[in-house]
Structures are given as C-alpha cells and as structure tokens.
Amino acid sequence: MPKQYRVVSQAAPVKGKIAQEVIQGLARLGMKAEQATALLQKPLTIKKDLDNPKALEYLEKFTEAGLLVKIEAYEVEHAPQVKAARSQSDEVFALLESTFAQPVKPTTLTRDYQKSFAIAVATSLVSPLIYVGLIVLSVWALVWYFTSGHGLRFGGVEWRGKFMLFLGALSWVVPAVAGSVLILFLLYPLWPQGKPPKPYVLDRKKHARFYKLIEKMTAAIGVPAPQFIEVIPDMNAAAGPVHGMASLAKGELKLVIGMSLVMGTSVQQFMGVLAHEFGHFSQRSSMMAYIWINTVNHWLWQCGYGQDVWTERLERWQDQFENEIAQVSLFVTEWLLKLVRLLFQNLYKLNVRLTNAMSQQMEFDADLYETRVVGSAQFRAGTLVLRRMGYAWSQARQTTFQGLHEQDKMLRNLPAATLEIASGFSPGLLKKIEDDLQVEETRHWDTHPADLERIANAENAGERGMLHCELPASVLFSEVEKLCETATLNWYLKLGISGAREFMVDNALLLQAVKPVSKPDSKPDGKAAASERAAQNSGVESSGMQNSGVAPALAARNSEPAETKSQVNDDGTIEWTGSRHKPKADDA
C-alpha cells in the first residue's frame, strides 16, 4: 500500500535555540513572522502529500532553521481498499473467536515437574534466609558487644589520662557507629524506593475486539482474563499478576505485549506466544509457586541490579558538597551501598541456580500450550522468527542509544525499525541464526531450556494445532503506527530520558546515519545472550515490566547477540548534552 508523508511542526525550537532565533531562521526560508509565530504556538502541518526524500529535505531545512519538526507517514488508499482491509481484519477476528470457542486441552504435570516443583519452592527460601540471618547475626553481635563483649575485651584496661580516655571513648563509639551503619544498610533494600512509572495501557474502547478476543482465549485455556494490557516496544510478551501474590489470589492478571513482536510475527505465531504465556497460569498450584519464586527473584534482582535512587542521590550530593568530611562520609556510604548490592547480586544468582529446574520444566509445559494452538510442525519456524526479530530488536535498540550519544537523536518508532532491520538481514546472517540453534546446550543453572530442546519437546508432542493464519499480527490492532510510536516514547521516559520527545526523529534519518558498533554479519554468541536474557526475565523487569512475578515469553527463543549488548561507554552509560542516564540491566 503506497505511503505519503507530511512535515509537522512540534511547536518548539530545537535544543539550544530560542523562539526569536527560530523566527529569524524561518524568515530566511521566506516565511512571514506571523506564520513562524504560529508554528511555535501549536503543532501545524507545514507540507503534506510528499514522498520520503522530499519530506526528509523539508525536515532538514526546517531543523536547520531551528524549528522542531517531525515526519508523519500515512497510507494512501482508495475507499475499496479501506473496506477490504477492514473486511480482512473482521475475518481474522471471526476466525480467532471461533478457534477459541473450543477449550485448549490442559497439560498433565509429569513426575519430574512435580519433583522440581517441590524442590524449587523449598530452595527459593535459601537466599532470603541467608539475608535475614545476616541481619540477625549483625544485631546480635552489636548487642553482645555492648552487654558482654566490651567488658571481656577491655575489662582489665585502666582508662587514665587524656589519650587513654580518648581510646576508651573510641572503643564504644567506633563499634556503635560501624555496627549501626552496617545494620542500617543491610536493611536498606527494605527502604521505600518510590512508585514505579505508570504503564502504557492499551485503550479498552479503541481495541475492544482485541480485549474480547483475549477474554475468549483465556477462557479456553482456563485462566483469568487480564485486567489490562500493557504495551511496550520490545520484542517480547509476558503475563503476570498486577500486584504480586495478593493480585494472583484474586485472579488479577495483566498481559504485556511488545509491539516489535506484533510487527514481526504472523497472527498464528503471535497467538501461539500468548498461549505460551497464559499456559504458565493454567495449573493453580504451579502458578502460585511460579509467582512466589519469581517474586523472590525479582526482589533480589531489584536490590542487586535495579535502578537505585539512593545511589543517584549520593552522586548528586558528592557534586554539591565540597567539604572534606562530607566527601569522606558520602564515599564510605556509597561503598557500603555497593557492598550491599554486591551481596544481593550473589544472592540472586544463588537463588536462580537453586530454582532453575522448575523454571525449565515450566517452559516445556507452557510450550505445549503453544503447540496445541499452532501445531507442533510450526514451532520450529516460529522459534526462528523470534530469534531473527530478537537480533533485529537488539540492533534497533543499540542504534537509538548510539544515535542519542552521537547526535542527540533517537528512533521515533522502535518496532518499525526492528522490522526494517530484520527485513534487511543477509542470507548469511539468517543461516548463522539458524545454525546457532545447534551449538546451544541447557546448562544446569539456565532458567530456560535451549531452543533445540524446546523444539524437540514441541515436535514430540505431535499436536495438529487449532489455528492457521499467515496474515501479519498487526491486523489485530488499529492505528498500529501511532501505537508503536507512543509505546516507544513511553519506554524512553521509563528509562529516565527526560524530554525524550525532543530527541525523537524519523526512523530513516537515524537508520541511514548510525551504524551500530557491532557488525550484523559477525558471529553471534546466542547462548551467552540467551542465558543473560533468561536471567533478566526470571520474574524481573523486561523493558519496563515493573511488577514482580511476570512470566517471560521468549527468553532463550528471543536470544540477542552478545556483541549488541555493548553500550557506548565502558561504564554502561549513555551521555548527551545536559543529562546522564544509566540504563537498567535489561538495557545494557
């Protein structure tokens, strides 16, 4: 379907310019002062019905003049084409509703599954018990010192003279301060960390048919329908409770959908992924255990790797206060925080390794729900699509961060960029992505099985499938481009990039100008990236998923090449004029 473009004023100067400079710049383009003023007062279309090269030419000219503008694409179609598109969407929804009018056959828990289930629930308590034990031991040691220890150690010392009196005071003060600070920072992870940012929720009125479809699908699988659907730009999907265990007990779930997943898959593949997600919650006992384990893992991960407001405050205070005593105090405090975070990083790794057996079994179980929807024969092809789009998402993400660092520009539509990058992969790279399946193995501490084992498990099930539809999954949503752009902007804001809208430019500008540091034809280390991705998704955040207990959809199947994980700076930060942003672990 042909596209045309329009250039629209953003009613603001570009960064570093003031309104008067913009008016002068537009005057040089032959524009009257009142016209220039109007463009700065509200968003207005400057020119429409343009092809892409001409639109880019306008964008460059007005940007040089100092006016912040953007390019909007729109489809040009005749009335019969619009009617045909709507008819196609209606047919797809009718097909899906009839498909899920019949129940999806539930899985039966195997003996291995039940065994790993019991072990995982018990071992998930080890790390929290170690943490509680350290706190209790520290409190006991401090109390013991002041009630008995000091007397045993210094009972025979005569505190005479100023120097000895000074040492005597230190024998009380130093342990009191050191012990109190140690306990304080051991309790630090329990301090309030602020409210998570609000998710971007799919409008229930505009997308009523999709909500109705999900309700029908969850009824067929036998799980509660989600309270709302969160939209992210990621190449992922997830389901989980709205607010942890309490929400789960009430049957309050949420669904998270990545628009890159929508853009890169067929209706059949997309619904298969959602079936996998809801399959995690088909067995109530395993569902409760799964959320409990992931809640613990999420908390440990958040304490060890998550965004830390107190670390940011300490860095800010170090820049504000020049007093030597303040600097020393802040330095010591910062290192105590780092030690506590290091403790939690190791507790998290321990807990993941202790509970991984159940996680692997749950992935096999959830995969069976996917195969019952799409068929065993389609599982391998779907896996390769997810891997290909996962690589492309990694490239798109790096492109936007690199563009921000080098040019103060970010991609306006990450899902569209992901699809464009994936479409441009060479046959050689596509072969490497497929060959990479053969070298992956499931290690004991992996939370997700290797893709090859998951494919074998799905194919051995011999399921015929309930659904066949090769149309793109994007037909399930109206105003897809706007949905992708809004999800992209919301993701940037969640990362803490203030004023993100000002940095967003048309995808074509950045994809042509920025070449990611990693070469797309380099050999990807799929297993390393897969296990990293799986660890990050073990009930923790996935591109903005803030609530604990979220079930990751793709983990190993959405593996990303390790090379594309590298960031612009050695310390993992992204810099631009006037700001500094440290990305979350999922963005590194």
Side-chain angles (χ1 to χ4, degrees), residues 59-110:
L59 179 69
E60 184 177 353
K61 286 182 178 179
F62 279 88
T63 301
E64 287 178 359
L67 180 66
L68 189 65
V69 297
K70 70 174 180 178
I71 295 176
E72 292 181 348
Y74 56 95
E75 295 174 344
V76 182
E77 53 188 359
H78 301 294
Q81 292 175 309
V82 176
K83 186 176 181 181
R86 289 175 180 170
S87 175
Q88 187 181 65
S89 178
D90 291 341
E91 289 175 5
V92 171
F93 274 102
L95 171 65
L96 293 173
E97 287 171 6
S98 64
T99 298
F100 294 113
Q102 51 188 318
V104 178
K105 189 176 95 174
T107 61
T108 303
L109 297 182
T110 65

Short mmCIF file of all heavy atoms in Angstrom, two decimals, residues 59-110:
data_model
loop_
_atom_site.label_atom_id
_atom_site.label_comp_id
_atom_site.label_asym_id
_atom_site.label_seq_id
_atom_site.Cartn_x
_atom_site.Cartn_y
_atom_site.Cartn_z
N LEU A 59 12.43 18.34 6.29
CA LEU A 59 12.84 18.15 7.68
C LEU A 59 14.20 18.78 7.95
O LEU A 59 14.39 19.47 8.95
CB LEU A 59 12.87 16.65 8.00
CG LEU A 59 13.30 16.27 9.42
CD1 LEU A 59 12.24 16.68 10.43
CD2 LEU A 59 13.55 14.76 9.52
N GLU A 60 15.12 18.57 7.03
CA GLU A 60 16.47 19.11 7.20
C GLU A 60 16.46 20.63 7.18
O GLU A 60 17.11 21.29 8.01
CB GLU A 60 17.37 18.56 6.09
CG GLU A 60 18.83 18.98 6.23
CD GLU A 60 19.71 18.35 5.16
OE1 GLU A 60 19.21 17.51 4.39
OE2 GLU A 60 20.89 18.73 5.08
N LYS A 61 15.71 21.21 6.24
CA LYS A 61 15.68 22.67 6.12
C LYS A 61 15.10 23.33 7.37
O LYS A 61 15.64 24.30 7.89
CB LYS A 61 14.88 23.07 4.89
CG LYS A 61 15.59 22.83 3.57
CD LYS A 61 14.75 23.30 2.40
CE LYS A 61 15.49 23.09 1.08
NZ LYS A 61 14.68 23.52 -0.09
N PHE A 62 13.96 22.82 7.84
CA PHE A 62 13.32 23.44 9.00
C PHE A 62 14.09 23.18 10.28
O PHE A 62 14.08 24.01 11.19
CB PHE A 62 11.87 22.94 9.11
CG PHE A 62 10.93 23.67 8.19
CD1 PHE A 62 10.72 23.23 6.90
CD2 PHE A 62 10.27 24.81 8.61
CE1 PHE A 62 9.87 23.91 6.04
CE2 PHE A 62 9.41 25.50 7.77
CZ PHE A 62 9.21 25.06 6.47
N THR A 63 14.76 22.04 10.37
CA THR A 63 15.60 21.78 11.54
C THR A 63 16.78 22.74 11.57
O THR A 63 17.15 23.26 12.63
CB THR A 63 16.10 20.32 11.52
OG1 THR A 63 14.99 19.43 11.52
CG2 THR A 63 16.95 20.03 12.75
N GLU A 64 17.38 22.99 10.42
CA GLU A 64 18.48 23.95 10.34
C GLU A 64 18.02 25.36 10.72
O GLU A 64 18.77 26.14 11.31
CB GLU A 64 19.08 23.97 8.93
CG GLU A 64 19.91 22.74 8.60
CD GLU A 64 20.44 22.78 7.18
OE1 GLU A 64 20.14 23.75 6.46
OE2 GLU A 64 21.17 21.83 6.79
N ALA A 65 16.76 25.67 10.41
CA ALA A 65 16.21 26.97 10.77
C ALA A 65 15.92 27.07 12.26
O ALA A 65 15.68 28.17 12.77
CB ALA A 65 14.94 27.23 9.98
N GLY A 66 15.95 25.93 12.96
CA GLY A 66 15.76 25.94 14.41
C GLY A 66 14.42 25.48 14.90
O GLY A 66 14.15 25.48 16.10
N LEU A 67 13.52 25.06 13.98
CA LEU A 67 12.19 24.61 14.37
C LEU A 67 12.18 23.09 14.53
O LEU A 67 12.66 22.36 13.66
CB LEU A 67 11.16 25.02 13.33
CG LEU A 67 9.71 24.62 13.62
CD1 LEU A 67 9.18 25.35 14.85
CD2 LEU A 67 8.81 24.89 12.41
N LEU A 68 11.62 22.61 15.63
CA LEU A 68 11.49 21.17 15.87
C LEU A 68 10.31 20.65 15.06
O LEU A 68 9.17 21.09 15.25
CB LEU A 68 11.28 20.90 17.36
CG LEU A 68 11.33 19.43 17.80
CD1 LEU A 68 12.73 18.88 17.59
CD2 LEU A 68 10.92 19.30 19.26
N VAL A 69 10.58 19.74 14.13
CA VAL A 69 9.53 19.19 13.28
C VAL A 69 9.66 17.68 13.24
O VAL A 69 10.67 17.12 13.64
CB VAL A 69 9.61 19.76 11.84
CG1 VAL A 69 9.38 21.26 11.83
CG2 VAL A 69 10.96 19.42 11.20
N LYS A 70 8.62 17.04 12.75
CA LYS A 70 8.67 15.59 12.59
C LYS A 70 7.98 15.21 11.28
O LYS A 70 7.21 15.98 10.70
CB LYS A 70 7.99 14.87 13.75
CG LYS A 70 6.48 15.03 13.80
CD LYS A 70 5.89 14.17 14.92
CE LYS A 70 4.37 14.31 14.97
NZ LYS A 70 3.77 13.44 16.02
N ILE A 71 8.30 14.00 10.82
CA ILE A 71 7.68 13.47 9.61
C ILE A 71 6.65 12.42 10.02
O ILE A 71 6.94 11.54 10.83
CB ILE A 71 8.73 12.84 8.68
CG1 ILE A 71 9.69 13.91 8.16
CG2 ILE A 71 8.07 12.12 7.52
CD1 ILE A 71 10.81 13.35 7.31
N GLU A 72 5.46 12.52 9.49
CA GLU A 72 4.42 11.53 9.73
C GLU A 72 4.07 10.84 8.41
O GLU A 72 3.85 11.50 7.40
CB GLU A 72 3.17 12.19 10.31
CG GLU A 72 3.36 12.75 11.72
CD GLU A 72 2.09 13.37 12.28
OE1 GLU A 72 1.13 13.56 11.48
OE2 GLU A 72 2.05 13.66 13.48
N ALA A 73 4.06 9.54 8.44
CA ALA A 73 3.68 8.77 7.25
C ALA A 73 2.20 8.41 7.33
O ALA A 73 1.67 8.17 8.41
CB ALA A 73 4.53 7.51 7.16
N TYR A 74 1.55 8.39 6.21
CA TYR A 74 0.16 7.95 6.16
C TYR A 74 -0.07 7.20 4.86
O TYR A 74 0.56 7.46 3.84
CB TYR A 74 -0.81 9.13 6.30
CG TYR A 74 -0.64 10.24 5.29
CD1 TYR A 74 -1.40 10.28 4.12
CD2 TYR A 74 0.29 11.26 5.50
CE1 TYR A 74 -1.25 11.29 3.20
CE2 TYR A 74 0.45 12.29 4.59
CZ TYR A 74 -0.32 12.29 3.43
OH TYR A 74 -0.17 13.31 2.51
N GLU A 75 -0.96 6.24 4.94
CA GLU A 75 -1.23 5.38 3.79
C GLU A 75 -2.24 6.04 2.87
O GLU A 75 -3.21 6.66 3.32
CB GLU A 75 -1.73 4.02 4.26
CG GLU A 75 -0.68 3.24 5.04
CD GLU A 75 -1.21 1.95 5.61
OE1 GLU A 75 -2.45 1.81 5.65
OE2 GLU A 75 -0.41 1.10 6.01
N VAL A 76 -1.98 5.93 1.60
CA VAL A 76 -2.87 6.47 0.59
C VAL A 76 -3.62 5.30 -0.03
O VAL A 76 -3.03 4.43 -0.67
CB VAL A 76 -2.08 7.24 -0.49
CG1 VAL A 76 -3.04 7.83 -1.51
CG2 VAL A 76 -1.24 8.32 0.14
N GLU A 77 -4.90 5.28 0.18
CA GLU A 77 -5.67 4.16 -0.34
C GLU A 77 -7.06 4.63 -0.76
O GLU A 77 -7.60 5.60 -0.22
CB GLU A 77 -5.78 3.05 0.70
CG GLU A 77 -6.32 3.52 2.04
CD GLU A 77 -6.23 2.43 3.09
OE1 GLU A 77 -5.77 1.33 2.75
OE2 GLU A 77 -6.62 2.69 4.23
N HIS A 78 -7.61 3.94 -1.67
CA HIS A 78 -8.95 4.26 -2.14
C HIS A 78 -9.97 3.61 -1.22
O HIS A 78 -9.67 2.68 -0.47
CB HIS A 78 -9.14 3.77 -3.57
CG HIS A 78 -8.15 4.38 -4.51
ND1 HIS A 78 -8.13 5.72 -4.81
CD2 HIS A 78 -7.12 3.82 -5.21
CE1 HIS A 78 -7.16 5.98 -5.66
NE2 HIS A 78 -6.52 4.84 -5.92
N ALA A 79 -11.19 4.09 -1.28
CA ALA A 79 -12.26 3.58 -0.41
C ALA A 79 -12.41 2.07 -0.49
O ALA A 79 -12.55 1.40 0.54
CB ALA A 79 -13.57 4.28 -0.73
N PRO A 80 -12.36 1.46 -1.68
CA PRO A 80 -12.48 -0.01 -1.73
C PRO A 80 -11.36 -0.72 -0.98
O PRO A 80 -11.58 -1.77 -0.38
CB PRO A 80 -12.40 -0.29 -3.24
CG PRO A 80 -12.86 0.96 -3.88
CD PRO A 80 -12.35 2.06 -3.01
N GLN A 81 -10.13 -0.13 -1.01
CA GLN A 81 -9.01 -0.74 -0.29
C GLN A 81 -9.23 -0.68 1.21
O GLN A 81 -8.91 -1.61 1.94
CB GLN A 81 -7.71 -0.03 -0.67
CG GLN A 81 -7.29 -0.27 -2.11
CD GLN A 81 -6.06 0.54 -2.46
OE1 GLN A 81 -6.01 1.75 -2.24
NE2 GLN A 81 -5.06 -0.12 -3.00
N VAL A 82 -9.75 0.46 1.70
CA VAL A 82 -10.06 0.59 3.13
C VAL A 82 -11.08 -0.45 3.53
O VAL A 82 -10.95 -1.12 4.57
CB VAL A 82 -10.58 2.01 3.44
CG1 VAL A 82 -11.00 2.11 4.89
CG2 VAL A 82 -9.52 3.04 3.12
N LYS A 83 -12.10 -0.59 2.72
CA LYS A 83 -13.14 -1.57 3.01
C LYS A 83 -12.58 -2.99 3.03
O LYS A 83 -12.91 -3.81 3.88
CB LYS A 83 -14.26 -1.44 1.97
CG LYS A 83 -15.47 -2.32 2.26
CD LYS A 83 -16.57 -2.06 1.25
CE LYS A 83 -17.78 -2.93 1.56
NZ LYS A 83 -18.87 -2.70 0.56
N ALA A 84 -11.66 -3.27 2.09
CA ALA A 84 -11.05 -4.59 2.03
C ALA A 84 -10.20 -4.86 3.27
O ALA A 84 -10.22 -5.98 3.81
CB ALA A 84 -10.19 -4.71 0.77
N ALA A 85 -9.48 -3.85 3.73
CA ALA A 85 -8.64 -4.01 4.91
C ALA A 85 -9.50 -4.29 6.14
O ALA A 85 -9.18 -5.15 6.97
CB ALA A 85 -7.80 -2.77 5.13
N ARG A 86 -10.60 -3.56 6.26
CA ARG A 86 -11.49 -3.78 7.40
C ARG A 86 -12.11 -5.16 7.33
O ARG A 86 -12.28 -5.84 8.34
CB ARG A 86 -12.58 -2.70 7.42
CG ARG A 86 -12.04 -1.33 7.81
CD ARG A 86 -13.12 -0.27 7.71
NE ARG A 86 -12.61 1.05 8.08
CZ ARG A 86 -13.28 2.18 7.90
NH1 ARG A 86 -14.49 2.15 7.35
NH2 ARG A 86 -12.75 3.33 8.26
N SER A 87 -12.47 -5.56 6.13
CA SER A 87 -13.05 -6.88 5.95
C SER A 87 -12.06 -7.97 6.34
O SER A 87 -12.43 -8.96 6.97
CB SER A 87 -13.48 -7.05 4.48
OG SER A 87 -13.95 -8.36 4.25
N GLN A 88 -10.79 -7.77 5.97
CA GLN A 88 -9.74 -8.73 6.32
C GLN A 88 -9.60 -8.84 7.83
O GLN A 88 -9.50 -9.95 8.37
CB GLN A 88 -8.42 -8.29 5.69
CG GLN A 88 -7.29 -9.29 5.84
CD GLN A 88 -6.02 -8.77 5.21
OE1 GLN A 88 -5.45 -7.77 5.65
NE2 GLN A 88 -5.55 -9.45 4.17
N SER A 89 -9.59 -7.70 8.51
CA SER A 89 -9.48 -7.71 9.97
C SER A 89 -10.68 -8.41 10.60
O SER A 89 -10.53 -9.19 11.54
CB SER A 89 -9.38 -6.27 10.47
OG SER A 89 -9.31 -6.24 11.88
N ASP A 90 -11.87 -8.13 10.07
CA ASP A 90 -13.08 -8.78 10.59
C ASP A 90 -13.00 -10.29 10.44
O ASP A 90 -13.39 -11.04 11.34
CB ASP A 90 -14.32 -8.25 9.85
CG ASP A 90 -14.61 -6.79 10.18
OD1 ASP A 90 -14.12 -6.32 11.22
OD2 ASP A 90 -15.32 -6.14 9.39
N GLU A 91 -12.50 -10.74 9.29
CA GLU A 91 -12.38 -12.18 9.04
C GLU A 91 -11.40 -12.83 10.01
O GLU A 91 -11.64 -13.94 10.49
CB GLU A 91 -11.92 -12.42 7.60
CG GLU A 91 -12.98 -12.10 6.55
CD GLU A 91 -12.44 -12.23 5.14
OE1 GLU A 91 -11.28 -12.66 4.99
OE2 GLU A 91 -13.19 -11.93 4.19
N VAL A 92 -10.28 -12.13 10.31
CA VAL A 92 -9.28 -12.68 11.24
C VAL A 92 -9.88 -12.81 12.64
O VAL A 92 -9.73 -13.85 13.30
CB VAL A 92 -8.02 -11.80 11.26
CG1 VAL A 92 -7.09 -12.24 12.40
CG2 VAL A 92 -7.29 -11.88 9.94
N PHE A 93 -10.57 -11.77 13.09
CA PHE A 93 -11.19 -11.83 14.43
C PHE A 93 -12.25 -12.92 14.49
O PHE A 93 -12.36 -13.63 15.50
CB PHE A 93 -11.78 -10.47 14.80
CG PHE A 93 -10.80 -9.53 15.44
CD1 PHE A 93 -10.24 -8.50 14.72
CD2 PHE A 93 -10.43 -9.69 16.77
CE1 PHE A 93 -9.33 -7.63 15.30
CE2 PHE A 93 -9.52 -8.83 17.37
CZ PHE A 93 -8.96 -7.79 16.63
N ALA A 94 -13.01 -13.07 13.42
CA ALA A 94 -14.03 -14.13 13.40
C ALA A 94 -13.37 -15.50 13.47
O ALA A 94 -13.85 -16.40 14.19
CB ALA A 94 -14.87 -14.00 12.12
N LEU A 95 -12.26 -15.69 12.75
CA LEU A 95 -11.53 -16.96 12.78
C LEU A 95 -11.00 -17.25 14.18
O LEU A 95 -11.14 -18.37 14.70
CB LEU A 95 -10.37 -16.90 11.78
CG LEU A 95 -9.36 -18.07 11.85
CD1 LEU A 95 -10.04 -19.38 11.47
CD2 LEU A 95 -8.16 -17.80 10.95
N LEU A 96 -10.42 -16.24 14.83
CA LEU A 96 -9.84 -16.44 16.17
C LEU A 96 -10.92 -16.71 17.21
O LEU A 96 -10.74 -17.55 18.10
CB LEU A 96 -9.01 -15.22 16.56
CG LEU A 96 -7.74 -14.99 15.72
CD1 LEU A 96 -7.10 -13.66 16.09
CD2 LEU A 96 -6.74 -16.12 15.94
N GLU A 97 -12.03 -16.01 17.10
CA GLU A 97 -13.11 -16.22 18.06
C GLU A 97 -13.69 -17.62 17.93
O GLU A 97 -14.02 -18.27 18.94
CB GLU A 97 -14.19 -15.15 17.87
CG GLU A 97 -13.75 -13.77 18.37
CD GLU A 97 -14.72 -12.67 17.99
OE1 GLU A 97 -15.79 -13.00 17.43
OE2 GLU A 97 -14.41 -11.50 18.24
N SER A 98 -13.80 -18.11 16.71
CA SER A 98 -14.31 -19.47 16.52
C SER A 98 -13.28 -20.51 16.99
O SER A 98 -13.63 -21.57 17.52
CB SER A 98 -14.65 -19.71 15.05
OG SER A 98 -13.48 -19.63 14.24
N THR A 99 -11.98 -20.19 16.81
CA THR A 99 -10.92 -21.10 17.26
C THR A 99 -10.97 -21.29 18.77
O THR A 99 -10.89 -22.42 19.28
CB THR A 99 -9.53 -20.55 16.86
OG1 THR A 99 -9.45 -20.48 15.44
CG2 THR A 99 -8.42 -21.45 17.39
N PHE A 100 -11.11 -20.19 19.49
CA PHE A 100 -11.07 -20.27 20.96
C PHE A 100 -12.46 -20.45 21.58
O PHE A 100 -12.61 -20.33 22.80
CB PHE A 100 -10.38 -19.03 21.53
CG PHE A 100 -8.93 -18.97 21.15
CD1 PHE A 100 -8.46 -17.97 20.31
CD2 PHE A 100 -8.03 -19.92 21.61
CE1 PHE A 100 -7.12 -17.90 19.95
CE2 PHE A 100 -6.70 -19.87 21.25
CZ PHE A 100 -6.24 -18.86 20.41
N ALA A 101 -13.44 -20.75 20.74
CA ALA A 101 -14.74 -21.14 21.27
C ALA A 101 -14.66 -22.55 21.86
O ALA A 101 -15.50 -22.95 22.67
CB ALA A 101 -15.79 -21.09 20.16
N GLN A 102 -13.64 -23.31 21.44
CA GLN A 102 -13.41 -24.64 21.99
C GLN A 102 -12.24 -24.59 22.97
O GLN A 102 -11.31 -23.79 22.80
CB GLN A 102 -13.11 -25.63 20.86
CG GLN A 102 -12.01 -25.17 19.92
CD GLN A 102 -11.85 -26.07 18.73
OE1 GLN A 102 -11.91 -27.28 18.86
NE2 GLN A 102 -11.66 -25.46 17.55
N PRO A 103 -12.27 -25.41 24.01
CA PRO A 103 -11.21 -25.34 25.03
C PRO A 103 -9.87 -25.86 24.51
O PRO A 103 -9.82 -26.73 23.63
CB PRO A 103 -11.74 -26.23 26.16
CG PRO A 103 -12.69 -27.17 25.49
CD PRO A 103 -13.31 -26.39 24.35
N VAL A 104 -8.79 -25.31 25.05
CA VAL A 104 -7.44 -25.82 24.77
C VAL A 104 -7.15 -26.92 25.77
O VAL A 104 -7.27 -26.72 26.98
CB VAL A 104 -6.39 -24.70 24.89
CG1 VAL A 104 -4.99 -25.24 24.64
CG2 VAL A 104 -6.72 -23.56 23.93
N LYS A 105 -6.80 -28.09 25.29
CA LYS A 105 -6.58 -29.24 26.16
C LYS A 105 -5.49 -28.95 27.19
O LYS A 105 -4.37 -28.55 26.82
CB LYS A 105 -6.19 -30.46 25.33
CG LYS A 105 -6.14 -31.77 26.14
CD LYS A 105 -5.85 -32.94 25.22
CE LYS A 105 -4.37 -33.22 25.22
NZ LYS A 105 -4.05 -34.45 24.45
N PRO A 106 -5.78 -29.10 28.49
CA PRO A 106 -4.76 -28.81 29.51
C PRO A 106 -3.65 -29.86 29.53
O PRO A 106 -3.85 -30.99 29.07
CB PRO A 106 -5.56 -28.83 30.82
CG PRO A 106 -6.72 -29.74 30.54
CD PRO A 106 -7.05 -29.52 29.08
N THR A 107 -2.52 -29.49 30.05
CA THR A 107 -1.40 -30.42 30.15
C THR A 107 -1.48 -31.18 31.47
O THR A 107 -2.16 -30.77 32.41
CB THR A 107 -0.06 -29.67 30.09
OG1 THR A 107 0.02 -28.75 31.18
CG2 THR A 107 0.09 -28.92 28.79
N THR A 108 -0.78 -32.29 31.53
CA THR A 108 -0.71 -33.10 32.75
C THR A 108 0.68 -32.96 33.35
O THR A 108 1.69 -33.06 32.65
CB THR A 108 -0.97 -34.59 32.43
OG1 THR A 108 -2.25 -34.70 31.79
CG2 THR A 108 -0.96 -35.42 33.71
N LEU A 109 0.73 -32.69 34.65
CA LEU A 109 2.01 -32.50 35.32
C LEU A 109 2.76 -33.83 35.39
O LEU A 109 2.24 -34.82 35.90
CB LEU A 109 1.81 -31.95 36.73
CG LEU A 109 1.16 -30.56 36.84
CD1 LEU A 109 1.07 -30.14 38.30
CD2 LEU A 109 1.95 -29.55 36.05
N THR A 110 3.99 -33.84 34.91
CA THR A 110 4.81 -35.04 34.95
C THR A 110 5.43 -35.21 36.34
O THR A 110 5.43 -34.28 37.16
CB THR A 110 5.93 -34.97 33.90
OG1 THR A 110 6.81 -33.89 34.25
CG2 THR A 110 5.36 -34.73 32.52
#
